[in-house]
Short mmCIF file of all heavy atoms in Angstrom, two decimals:
data_model
loop_
_atom_site.label_atom_id
_atom_site.label_comp_id
_atom_site.label_asym_id
_atom_site.label_seq_id
_atom_site.Cartn_x
_atom_site.Cartn_y
_atom_site.Cartn_z
N VAL A 583 -42.51 15.18 18.91
CA VAL A 583 -43.32 14.01 19.30
C VAL A 583 -43.11 12.96 18.19
O VAL A 583 -44.07 12.60 17.46
CB VAL A 583 -44.72 14.29 19.47
CG1 VAL A 583 -45.48 13.07 20.11
CG2 VAL A 583 -44.99 15.52 20.41
N PRO A 584 -41.93 12.33 18.05
CA PRO A 584 -41.79 11.27 17.13
C PRO A 584 -42.35 10.00 17.69
O PRO A 584 -42.54 9.88 18.90
CB PRO A 584 -40.26 11.15 16.99
CG PRO A 584 -39.70 11.73 18.29
CD PRO A 584 -40.64 12.72 18.75
N HIS A 585 -42.62 9.03 16.86
CA HIS A 585 -42.99 7.70 17.26
C HIS A 585 -42.00 6.72 16.65
O HIS A 585 -41.41 6.93 15.59
CB HIS A 585 -44.36 7.39 16.84
CG HIS A 585 -45.44 8.05 17.65
ND1 HIS A 585 -45.64 7.87 19.02
CD2 HIS A 585 -46.44 8.91 17.25
CE1 HIS A 585 -46.62 8.59 19.40
NE2 HIS A 585 -47.12 9.26 18.37
N GLY A 586 -41.82 5.58 17.38
CA GLY A 586 -40.98 4.53 16.82
C GLY A 586 -41.84 3.37 16.41
O GLY A 586 -43.03 3.36 16.70
N PHE A 587 -41.26 2.37 15.72
CA PHE A 587 -42.01 1.23 15.29
C PHE A 587 -41.05 0.02 15.15
O PHE A 587 -40.01 0.13 14.44
CB PHE A 587 -42.70 1.49 14.03
CG PHE A 587 -43.55 0.27 13.55
CD1 PHE A 587 -44.76 -0.10 14.20
CD2 PHE A 587 -43.15 -0.58 12.57
CE1 PHE A 587 -45.53 -1.12 13.82
CE2 PHE A 587 -43.91 -1.65 12.14
CZ PHE A 587 -45.06 -1.96 12.81
N ALA A 588 -41.33 -1.06 15.86
CA ALA A 588 -40.49 -2.21 15.71
C ALA A 588 -41.38 -3.50 15.82
O ALA A 588 -42.53 -3.48 16.36
CB ALA A 588 -39.42 -2.17 16.80
N ILE A 589 -40.89 -4.62 15.37
CA ILE A 589 -41.52 -5.90 15.33
C ILE A 589 -40.58 -6.96 16.00
O ILE A 589 -39.34 -6.97 15.62
CB ILE A 589 -41.94 -6.33 13.95
CG1 ILE A 589 -42.85 -5.34 13.35
CG2 ILE A 589 -42.58 -7.72 13.98
CD1 ILE A 589 -43.09 -5.55 11.87
N LYS A 590 -41.05 -7.75 16.85
CA LYS A 590 -40.25 -8.74 17.46
C LYS A 590 -39.50 -9.64 16.46
O LYS A 590 -40.19 -10.15 15.50
CB LYS A 590 -41.06 -9.70 18.44
CG LYS A 590 -40.30 -10.82 19.06
CD LYS A 590 -41.15 -11.85 19.66
CE LYS A 590 -40.29 -13.02 20.14
NZ LYS A 590 -41.17 -14.09 20.73
N GLY A 591 -38.25 -9.73 16.57
CA GLY A 591 -37.42 -10.72 15.79
C GLY A 591 -37.05 -10.15 14.37
O GLY A 591 -36.42 -10.87 13.63
N ASN A 592 -37.52 -8.97 14.05
CA ASN A 592 -37.24 -8.45 12.67
C ASN A 592 -35.74 -8.19 12.57
O ASN A 592 -35.07 -7.58 13.48
CB ASN A 592 -38.00 -7.20 12.48
CG ASN A 592 -37.88 -6.65 11.02
OD1 ASN A 592 -37.58 -7.47 10.16
ND2 ASN A 592 -38.08 -5.42 10.79
N LYS A 593 -35.11 -8.58 11.44
CA LYS A 593 -33.69 -8.41 11.27
C LYS A 593 -33.34 -7.02 10.76
O LYS A 593 -32.15 -6.65 10.78
CB LYS A 593 -33.25 -9.44 10.21
CG LYS A 593 -33.29 -10.87 10.66
CD LYS A 593 -32.83 -11.84 9.62
CE LYS A 593 -32.91 -13.24 10.16
NZ LYS A 593 -32.45 -14.26 9.18
N ASN A 594 -34.35 -6.18 10.47
CA ASN A 594 -34.13 -4.85 10.12
C ASN A 594 -34.23 -4.04 11.42
O ASN A 594 -34.72 -4.49 12.46
CB ASN A 594 -35.19 -4.34 9.13
CG ASN A 594 -34.63 -3.29 8.21
OD1 ASN A 594 -33.56 -2.75 8.40
ND2 ASN A 594 -35.42 -2.97 7.17
N ALA A 595 -33.73 -2.75 11.35
CA ALA A 595 -33.83 -1.89 12.56
C ALA A 595 -35.22 -1.30 12.72
O ALA A 595 -36.11 -1.50 11.87
CB ALA A 595 -32.87 -0.74 12.40
N GLU A 596 -35.47 -0.64 13.81
CA GLU A 596 -36.78 0.00 14.05
C GLU A 596 -36.82 1.26 13.21
O GLU A 596 -35.90 1.67 12.61
CB GLU A 596 -36.93 0.29 15.54
CG GLU A 596 -35.81 1.11 16.11
CD GLU A 596 -36.08 2.64 16.22
OE1 GLU A 596 -37.17 2.94 16.54
OE2 GLU A 596 -35.20 3.34 15.89
N LEU A 597 -37.99 1.84 13.15
CA LEU A 597 -38.23 3.14 12.52
C LEU A 597 -38.33 4.22 13.55
O LEU A 597 -38.67 4.01 14.73
CB LEU A 597 -39.53 3.13 11.70
CG LEU A 597 -39.76 2.14 10.64
CD1 LEU A 597 -41.16 2.34 10.01
CD2 LEU A 597 -38.65 2.27 9.53
N LEU A 598 -38.00 5.46 13.13
CA LEU A 598 -38.25 6.60 13.99
C LEU A 598 -38.98 7.59 13.06
O LEU A 598 -38.43 8.06 12.04
CB LEU A 598 -36.96 7.21 14.47
CG LEU A 598 -37.17 8.33 15.56
CD1 LEU A 598 -37.87 7.76 16.83
CD2 LEU A 598 -35.79 8.92 15.99
N ILE A 599 -40.23 7.88 13.34
CA ILE A 599 -41.08 8.63 12.44
C ILE A 599 -41.38 10.05 13.02
O ILE A 599 -41.93 10.15 14.12
CB ILE A 599 -42.40 7.93 12.15
CG1 ILE A 599 -42.14 6.44 11.82
CG2 ILE A 599 -43.14 8.58 10.99
CD1 ILE A 599 -42.67 5.49 12.77
N MET A 600 -41.01 11.13 12.31
CA MET A 600 -41.27 12.43 12.74
C MET A 600 -42.75 12.80 12.67
O MET A 600 -43.47 12.19 11.84
CB MET A 600 -40.38 13.38 11.97
CG MET A 600 -38.89 13.27 12.18
SD MET A 600 -38.30 13.37 13.87
CE MET A 600 -37.87 11.70 14.29
N PRO A 601 -43.18 13.86 13.38
CA PRO A 601 -44.61 14.27 13.28
C PRO A 601 -44.97 14.62 11.87
O PRO A 601 -44.31 15.46 11.18
CB PRO A 601 -44.67 15.50 14.18
CG PRO A 601 -43.57 15.29 15.19
CD PRO A 601 -42.47 14.59 14.41
N GLY A 602 -46.07 14.01 11.30
CA GLY A 602 -46.51 14.20 9.94
C GLY A 602 -45.80 13.42 8.91
O GLY A 602 -46.11 13.56 7.71
N GLU A 603 -44.87 12.59 9.29
CA GLU A 603 -43.99 11.91 8.26
C GLU A 603 -44.52 10.47 8.12
O GLU A 603 -45.13 9.86 9.05
CB GLU A 603 -42.51 11.78 8.80
CG GLU A 603 -41.58 11.16 7.85
CD GLU A 603 -40.21 11.16 8.41
OE1 GLU A 603 -39.97 11.05 9.66
OE2 GLU A 603 -39.28 11.22 7.62
N THR A 604 -44.26 9.89 6.93
CA THR A 604 -44.51 8.43 6.65
C THR A 604 -43.22 7.71 6.39
O THR A 604 -42.44 8.20 5.57
CB THR A 604 -45.47 8.33 5.43
OG1 THR A 604 -46.67 9.00 5.75
CG2 THR A 604 -45.78 6.89 5.09
N THR A 605 -43.09 6.58 7.07
CA THR A 605 -41.81 5.83 6.92
C THR A 605 -42.19 4.38 6.84
O THR A 605 -43.14 3.95 7.48
CB THR A 605 -40.80 6.18 8.12
OG1 THR A 605 -40.58 7.51 8.21
CG2 THR A 605 -39.52 5.42 7.87
N THR A 606 -41.31 3.57 6.14
CA THR A 606 -41.68 2.16 5.86
C THR A 606 -40.66 1.23 6.36
O THR A 606 -39.44 1.40 6.20
CB THR A 606 -41.85 1.96 4.32
OG1 THR A 606 -42.79 2.82 3.79
CG2 THR A 606 -42.19 0.52 4.01
N LEU A 607 -41.17 0.20 7.01
CA LEU A 607 -40.32 -0.92 7.57
C LEU A 607 -40.71 -2.18 6.81
O LEU A 607 -41.86 -2.56 6.72
CB LEU A 607 -40.55 -1.15 9.03
CG LEU A 607 -39.69 -2.18 9.71
CD1 LEU A 607 -38.23 -1.76 9.74
CD2 LEU A 607 -40.17 -2.55 11.13
N LYS A 608 -39.64 -2.87 6.23
CA LYS A 608 -39.85 -4.13 5.57
C LYS A 608 -39.66 -5.27 6.49
O LYS A 608 -38.69 -5.29 7.27
CB LYS A 608 -38.88 -4.25 4.38
CG LYS A 608 -38.93 -5.54 3.57
CD LYS A 608 -37.89 -5.49 2.57
CE LYS A 608 -37.85 -6.85 1.77
NZ LYS A 608 -36.82 -6.84 0.72
N TRP A 609 -40.57 -6.27 6.51
CA TRP A 609 -40.43 -7.42 7.35
C TRP A 609 -40.74 -8.70 6.60
O TRP A 609 -41.78 -8.78 5.89
CB TRP A 609 -41.48 -7.28 8.55
CG TRP A 609 -41.53 -8.41 9.49
CD1 TRP A 609 -40.44 -8.94 10.10
CD2 TRP A 609 -42.64 -9.08 10.03
NE1 TRP A 609 -40.82 -9.97 11.00
CE2 TRP A 609 -42.16 -10.05 10.94
CE3 TRP A 609 -44.01 -8.98 9.78
CZ2 TRP A 609 -43.03 -10.90 11.67
CZ3 TRP A 609 -44.84 -9.82 10.46
CH2 TRP A 609 -44.38 -10.80 11.44
N VAL A 610 -39.87 -9.70 6.76
CA VAL A 610 -40.07 -11.01 6.18
C VAL A 610 -40.19 -12.02 7.26
O VAL A 610 -39.15 -12.45 7.84
CB VAL A 610 -38.99 -11.38 5.18
CG1 VAL A 610 -39.22 -12.78 4.56
CG2 VAL A 610 -38.75 -10.31 4.12
N PRO A 611 -41.40 -12.39 7.70
CA PRO A 611 -41.51 -13.35 8.82
C PRO A 611 -40.98 -14.72 8.46
O PRO A 611 -41.11 -15.18 7.30
CB PRO A 611 -43.06 -13.47 9.03
CG PRO A 611 -43.70 -12.94 7.76
CD PRO A 611 -42.72 -11.99 7.14
N GLU A 612 -40.40 -15.41 9.45
CA GLU A 612 -39.66 -16.60 9.14
C GLU A 612 -40.23 -17.85 9.90
O GLU A 612 -39.77 -18.92 9.76
CB GLU A 612 -38.13 -16.47 9.51
CG GLU A 612 -37.40 -15.47 8.56
CD GLU A 612 -35.93 -15.35 8.83
OE1 GLU A 612 -35.52 -15.86 9.93
OE2 GLU A 612 -35.22 -14.86 8.01
N LYS A 613 -41.25 -17.53 10.76
CA LYS A 613 -41.83 -18.64 11.48
C LYS A 613 -43.28 -18.26 11.82
O LYS A 613 -43.69 -17.10 11.87
CB LYS A 613 -41.05 -19.04 12.70
CG LYS A 613 -40.91 -17.96 13.73
CD LYS A 613 -40.07 -18.50 14.98
CE LYS A 613 -39.92 -17.41 15.97
NZ LYS A 613 -39.06 -17.83 17.05
N VAL A 614 -44.06 -19.34 12.06
CA VAL A 614 -45.50 -19.14 12.39
C VAL A 614 -45.56 -18.72 13.89
O VAL A 614 -44.79 -19.13 14.70
CB VAL A 614 -46.20 -20.55 12.29
CG1 VAL A 614 -47.61 -20.45 12.86
CG2 VAL A 614 -46.22 -20.91 10.80
N GLY A 615 -46.53 -17.89 14.18
CA GLY A 615 -46.76 -17.42 15.53
C GLY A 615 -47.31 -16.03 15.68
O GLY A 615 -47.79 -15.45 14.68
N ILE A 616 -47.32 -15.57 16.92
CA ILE A 616 -47.79 -14.20 17.17
C ILE A 616 -46.69 -13.31 17.46
O ILE A 616 -45.80 -13.63 18.34
CB ILE A 616 -48.79 -14.25 18.40
CG1 ILE A 616 -49.93 -15.16 18.20
CG2 ILE A 616 -49.29 -12.78 18.73
CD1 ILE A 616 -50.90 -14.76 17.09
N PHE A 617 -46.64 -12.20 16.75
CA PHE A 617 -45.46 -11.26 16.88
C PHE A 617 -45.96 -9.92 17.33
O PHE A 617 -46.75 -9.28 16.72
CB PHE A 617 -44.84 -11.14 15.51
CG PHE A 617 -44.17 -12.41 15.06
CD1 PHE A 617 -44.87 -13.35 14.37
CD2 PHE A 617 -42.86 -12.67 15.30
CE1 PHE A 617 -44.28 -14.55 13.96
CE2 PHE A 617 -42.21 -13.81 14.81
CZ PHE A 617 -42.97 -14.83 14.14
N PRO A 618 -45.46 -9.48 18.50
CA PRO A 618 -45.78 -8.17 19.01
C PRO A 618 -45.12 -7.03 18.15
O PRO A 618 -44.07 -7.25 17.62
CB PRO A 618 -45.15 -8.09 20.43
CG PRO A 618 -44.95 -9.51 20.80
CD PRO A 618 -44.65 -10.17 19.55
N MET A 619 -45.81 -5.93 18.01
CA MET A 619 -45.26 -4.71 17.43
C MET A 619 -45.57 -3.60 18.43
O MET A 619 -46.47 -3.62 19.17
CB MET A 619 -45.90 -4.41 16.07
CG MET A 619 -47.40 -4.25 16.11
SD MET A 619 -48.10 -3.95 14.48
CE MET A 619 -49.89 -3.87 14.84
N TYR A 620 -44.62 -2.62 18.44
CA TYR A 620 -44.79 -1.63 19.46
C TYR A 620 -44.07 -0.31 19.09
O TYR A 620 -43.22 -0.28 18.15
CB TYR A 620 -44.30 -2.08 20.82
CG TYR A 620 -42.79 -2.34 20.85
CD1 TYR A 620 -41.92 -1.44 21.48
CD2 TYR A 620 -42.22 -3.42 20.29
CE1 TYR A 620 -40.61 -1.60 21.59
CE2 TYR A 620 -40.84 -3.70 20.39
CZ TYR A 620 -40.06 -2.77 21.00
OH TYR A 620 -38.74 -2.95 21.10
N CYS A 621 -44.35 0.77 19.80
CA CYS A 621 -43.71 2.05 19.57
C CYS A 621 -42.37 2.02 20.44
O CYS A 621 -42.46 1.70 21.65
CB CYS A 621 -44.57 3.20 20.08
SG CYS A 621 -43.76 4.83 20.07
N THR A 622 -41.25 2.32 19.81
CA THR A 622 -40.01 2.27 20.48
C THR A 622 -39.54 3.57 21.10
O THR A 622 -38.60 3.67 21.89
CB THR A 622 -38.83 1.85 19.52
OG1 THR A 622 -38.87 2.76 18.43
CG2 THR A 622 -39.12 0.45 18.98
N ASP A 623 -40.28 4.66 20.83
CA ASP A 623 -39.90 6.05 21.30
C ASP A 623 -40.83 6.54 22.33
O ASP A 623 -42.00 6.70 22.05
CB ASP A 623 -39.73 7.01 20.12
CG ASP A 623 -39.11 8.27 20.47
OD1 ASP A 623 -39.74 9.15 21.15
OD2 ASP A 623 -37.97 8.50 20.14
N PHE A 624 -40.35 6.81 23.58
CA PHE A 624 -41.26 7.19 24.57
C PHE A 624 -42.08 8.40 24.21
O PHE A 624 -41.43 9.41 23.90
CB PHE A 624 -40.52 7.42 25.89
CG PHE A 624 -41.43 7.57 27.08
CD1 PHE A 624 -41.71 6.48 27.85
CD2 PHE A 624 -41.95 8.80 27.42
CE1 PHE A 624 -42.54 6.62 28.93
CE2 PHE A 624 -42.82 8.92 28.49
CZ PHE A 624 -43.13 7.83 29.23
N CYS A 625 -43.36 8.34 24.25
CA CYS A 625 -44.21 9.38 23.71
C CYS A 625 -45.24 9.91 24.57
O CYS A 625 -45.81 11.01 24.37
CB CYS A 625 -44.82 8.95 22.40
SG CYS A 625 -45.78 7.37 22.54
N SER A 626 -45.59 9.11 25.67
CA SER A 626 -46.67 9.67 26.56
C SER A 626 -46.68 8.74 27.74
O SER A 626 -45.95 7.76 27.87
CB SER A 626 -48.04 9.52 25.85
OG SER A 626 -48.38 8.15 25.72
N ALA A 627 -47.53 9.06 28.74
CA ALA A 627 -47.63 8.23 29.96
C ALA A 627 -48.10 6.81 29.63
O ALA A 627 -47.80 5.88 30.42
CB ALA A 627 -48.64 8.85 30.93
N LEU A 628 -48.86 6.69 28.54
CA LEU A 628 -49.29 5.32 28.18
C LEU A 628 -48.42 4.76 26.99
O LEU A 628 -48.99 4.00 26.19
CB LEU A 628 -50.74 5.36 27.76
CG LEU A 628 -51.74 5.80 28.89
CD1 LEU A 628 -53.12 5.89 28.43
CD2 LEU A 628 -51.62 4.77 30.05
#
Side-chain angles (χ1 to χ4, degrees):
V583 189
H585 287 298
F587 181 76
I589 301 167
K590 177 191 173 184
N592 188 21
K593 293 181 179 179
N594 210 351
E596 56 96 42
L597 299 179
L598 190 63
I599 312 116
M600 297 300 110
E603 184 181 30
T604 299
T605 305
T606 302
L607 183 71
K608 179 182 177 181
W609 180 48
V610 182
E612 295 183 344
K613 59 182 179 179
V614 169
I616 302 297
F617 294 83
M619 58 182 177
Y620 67 104
C621 174
T622 56
D623 190 283
F624 191 92
C625 54
S626 70
L628 296 178

